[in-house]
């Protein structure tokens, strides 16, 4: 009995050693790299942000891109190309054959990006000194700062520049109205007779109404909003503040500059706009540092638990150690997105749309979303401008998108339908179909909407789906394929059209593209069917 006990003890010790060895392997391959990546990326990016954009001011890029866009999306690179192959050492398969890979990648990305975004907010609010000045005319004599405490000033409320911004949010369900007001700042009242003014105070008012409301209801609410804002502006004691904060290169800053252009009384070139702050200067940091530490810690703990739960895949672990592990799925996807015979135009269209979006973001127009005025300037479809001779907008608007989610959803829709119909139509016919249905969708949009900036590839994509439906009904594809995808496509089209009724979506363009594509599909189904039979 004693020999058996010793034998069992030895087995247990060996088992524990194996468990410890597996745990150490998981920590070395997956946990420590996460810590290094999270802390390293957060530290290096924050330092570069401080050095290039705050300290040296070498570039002027929209703050939303620097503080949110880049740190939010850049971690996708190490997650996909570094961590994704390493995840193969874990057995993440579900009982139904699928895997938890996407969940693990999402948590990885969130851990790295979340702390980096919070770090930029902390950097923004913790840098800069409060400069004491007697009056705003002393600003050029002092070292440039973001924050100023002014002892003597005069706000001329009789002269104001205004600009109203309209946008939609909450998946197109809310219609937002923001009124930006700027008024000149002088040392004293007598200075207000000057012909120029360099320093301005910015004030913002906001209201919201359901985007499902009629045009008349929106107009009435807007007029009411202007009256209330005027009343609040007249009653406001603008001198009740602790310090002034200089507006940077941001979406709000762009809107304040537009309000400044509408003030015709003064020369406003090279003007500086401030907003007033009523909180103590020391409290601007808030609890951001604790959020940063908490996010880093929570991400590390959650990731550690997640990698300790599943078992090791010994085969993939051996391949990883030998350097023979390859991310076949990623390589297949990258190869799949390369233009090739039968799938040439679709990836090029996707790349063009993405490139235009990135170009607009780099130009400082935003990142998550763009303003209607900027979209109009870049070629948005707008009836008064289009029918006034700018017919090129019918085409250029097809390659513009209002935001990241808009772009993403359209490109997925294009990829799905392009896989099936580009091979049977051919490059030339497919490209002509895309462009022509896009233009016809734009025509339907300006026919229906009197004064709406319409943009997006969805009209052209609905045109492709219209053609796809026509070819499915004409039995161009094999019976099994047609039966399955006819139902799927009808559900997809119906769902999107119904969602368009909620507001904020250009259903006129969707329907125009769908009908034009369907008619074209009926016309070309016979030669396409003959081509399929010859193959």
């Amino acid at each position: 009995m004693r020999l058996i006990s010793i034998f069992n003890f030895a087995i247990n010790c060996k088992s524990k050693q194996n468990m410890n060895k597996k745990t150490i392997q998981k920590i070395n391959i997956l946990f420590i790299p996460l810590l290094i990546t999270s802390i390293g990326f957060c530290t290096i990016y924050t330092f570069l942000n401080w050095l290039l954009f705050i300290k040296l001011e070498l570039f002027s890029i929209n703050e939303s891109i620097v503080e949110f866009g880049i740190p939010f999306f850049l971690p996708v690179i190490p997650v996909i190309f570094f961590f994704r192959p390493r995840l193969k050492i874990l057995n993440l398969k579900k009982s139904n054959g699928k895997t938890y890979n996407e969940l693990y990648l999402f948590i990885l990305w969130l851990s790295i990006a979340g702390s980096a975004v919070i770090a930029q907010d902390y950097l923004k609010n913790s840098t800069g000194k409060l400069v004491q000045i007697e009056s705003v005319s002393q600003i050029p004599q002092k070292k440039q700062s973001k924050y100023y405490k002014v002892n003597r000033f005069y706000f001329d409320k009789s002269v104001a520049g205004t600009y109203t911004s309209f946008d939609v949010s909450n998946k197109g369900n809310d219609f937002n109205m923001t009124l930006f007001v700027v008024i000149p700042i002088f040392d004293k009242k007598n200075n207000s007779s000057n012909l120029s003014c360099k320093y301005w105070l910015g004030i913002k008012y906001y209201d919201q109404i359901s985007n499902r409301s009629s045009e008349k209801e929106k107009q009435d609410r807007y007029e009411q909003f202007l009256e209330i804002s005027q009343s609040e502006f007249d009653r406001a004691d603008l001198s009740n503040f602790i310090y002034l904060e200089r507006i940077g290169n941001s979406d709000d800053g762009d809107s304040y500059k537009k309000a400044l252009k509408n003030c015709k009384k003064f020369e406003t070139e090279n003007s500086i706009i401030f907003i007033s702050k009523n909180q103590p200067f020391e409290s601007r940091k808030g609890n951001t540092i604790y959020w940063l530490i908490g996010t880093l810690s929570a991400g590390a703990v959650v990731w550690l638990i997640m990698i300790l739960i599943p078992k090791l895949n010994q085969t993939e672990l051996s391949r990883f150690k030998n350097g023979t592990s390859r991310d076949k799925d990623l390589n297949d996807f990258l190869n799949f997105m390369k233009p090739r015979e039968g799938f040439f135009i679709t990836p090029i269209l996707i790349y063009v749309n993405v490139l235009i979006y990135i170009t607009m973001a780099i130009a400082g127009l935003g990142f998550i979303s763009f303003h209607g005025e900027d979209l109009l300037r870049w070629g948005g479809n707008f009836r008064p401008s289009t029918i006034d001779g700018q017919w090129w907008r019918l085409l250029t608007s097809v390659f513009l998108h209002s935001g990241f989610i808009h772009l993403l959803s359209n490109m997925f829709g294009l990829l799905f339908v392009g896989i099936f119909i580009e091979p049977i139509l051919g490059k030339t016919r497919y490209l002509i179909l895309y462009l022509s249905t896009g233009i016809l969708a734009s025509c339907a949009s300006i026919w229906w909407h009197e004064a709406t900036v319409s943009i997006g590839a969805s009209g052209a994509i609905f045109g492709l789906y219209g053609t796809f439906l026509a070819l499915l009904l004409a039995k161009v594809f094999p019976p099994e394929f047609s039966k399955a995808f006819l139902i799927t496509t009808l559900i997809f089209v119906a769902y999107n059209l119904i969602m368009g009724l909620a507001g904020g979506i250009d259903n006129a363009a969707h329907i125009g593209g769908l009908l034009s594509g369907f008619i074209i599909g009926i016309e070309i189904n016979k030669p396409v069917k003959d081509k399929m039979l010859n193959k």
Side-chain angles (χ1 to χ4, degrees), residues 509-525:
H510 290 178
I511 295 172
L514 181 68
L515 291 177
S516 60
F518 186 78
I519 294 170
I520 293 172
I522 292 174
E523 291 295 322
I524 66 172
N525 81 83

Side-chain angles (χ1 to χ4, degrees), residues 29-45 74-79 82-83 86 108-109 111-113 115-116 296 303:
I29 297 174
L30 288 169
F31 181 69
I32 293 178
L34 171 68
L35 288 180
I36 295 173
T37 304
S38 294
I39 297 173
F41 176 73
C42 184
T43 303
I44 294 172
Y45 183 81
L74 199 59
V76 169
I77 296 175
V79 168
F82 181 78
F83 284 101
R86 291 175 173 238
L108 265 172
W109 165 74
S111 299
I112 302 170
S115 57
L296 281 168
W303 182 244

Side-chain angles (χ1 to χ4, degrees), residues 459-480:
I461 295 170
F462 263 81
L464 299 181
Y465 276 96
T467 300
F468 190 37
L469 278 174
L471 297 179
L472 287 170
L473 292 171
K475 299 179 181 179
V476 171
F477 298 96
E480 299 80 8

Side-chain angles (χ1 to χ4, degrees), residues 15 54 74 80 89 107 184 222 234 263 346 367 385 410 425 474 487 514:
S15 177
I54 297 176
L74 199 59
I80 296 297
I89 70 166
I107 296 299
Y222 173 60
D234 293 337
C263 185
T346 300
F367 189 82
S385 300
N410 275 352
L425 293 182
I487 297 172
L514 181 68

Side-chain angles (χ1 to χ4, degrees), residues 29-30 86-91 312-313 316-317 320:
I29 297 174
L30 288 169
R86 291 175 173 238
L87 274 181
K88 290 186 175 183
I89 70 166
L90 300 179
N91 188 3
L312 280 172
N313 186 325
E316 291 294 339
L317 180 61
F320 176 79

Side-chain angles (χ1 to χ4, degrees), residues 44-179:
I44 294 172
Y45 183 81
T46 303
F47 172 74
L48 291 175
N49 183 8
W50 171 80
L51 179 66
L52 301 177
F53 300 107
I54 297 176
K55 179 69 175 176
L56 302 178
E57 296 185 348
L58 295 180
F59 310 100
S60 180
I61 299 178
N62 192 288
E63 290 177 358
S64 64
I65 297 176
V66 177
E67 297 170 8
F68 181 79
I70 298 176
F72 194 70
F73 289 100
L74 199 59
V76 169
I77 296 175
V79 168
I80 296 297
F81 293 98
F82 181 78
F83 284 101
R84 194 174 187 272
R86 291 175 173 238
L87 274 181
K88 290 186 175 183
I89 70 166
L90 300 179
N91 188 3
L92 299 178
K93 284 189 177 181
K94 302 179 184 179
S95 57
N96 59 5
K98 296 182 179 180
T99 70
Y100 290 102
N101 280 17
E102 289 76 13
L103 174 63
Y104 274 66
L105 292 173
F106 175 75
I107 296 299
L108 265 172
W109 165 74
L110 197 62
S111 299
I112 302 170
S115 57
V117 170
I118 295 174
Q120 306 323 300
D121 187 52
Y122 176 75
L123 176 68
K124 176 183 176 181
N125 294 318
S126 61
T127 54
K129 295 181 180 180
L130 183 63
V131 177
Q132 297 271 354
I133 54 176
E134 181 63 26
S135 60
V136 291
S137 61
Q138 292 183 353
I139 290 179
Q141 304 167 16
K142 301 287 184 177
K143 186 176 180 180
Q144 182 172 293
S145 177
K146 188 176 181 179
Y147 310 102
Y148 294 92
K149 184 173 178 60
V150 188
N151 296 326
R152 181 165 50 88
F153 52 86
Y154 172 70
F155 296 132
D156 189 355
K157 294 176 71 173
S158 65
V159 182
T162 63
Y163 167 75
T164 307
S165 172
F166 303 98
D167 61 81
V168 295
S169 60
N170 189 22
K171 298 181 179 179
N173 292 319
D174 297 327
F175 182 78
N176 307 308
M177 300 172 282
T178 309
L179 175 63

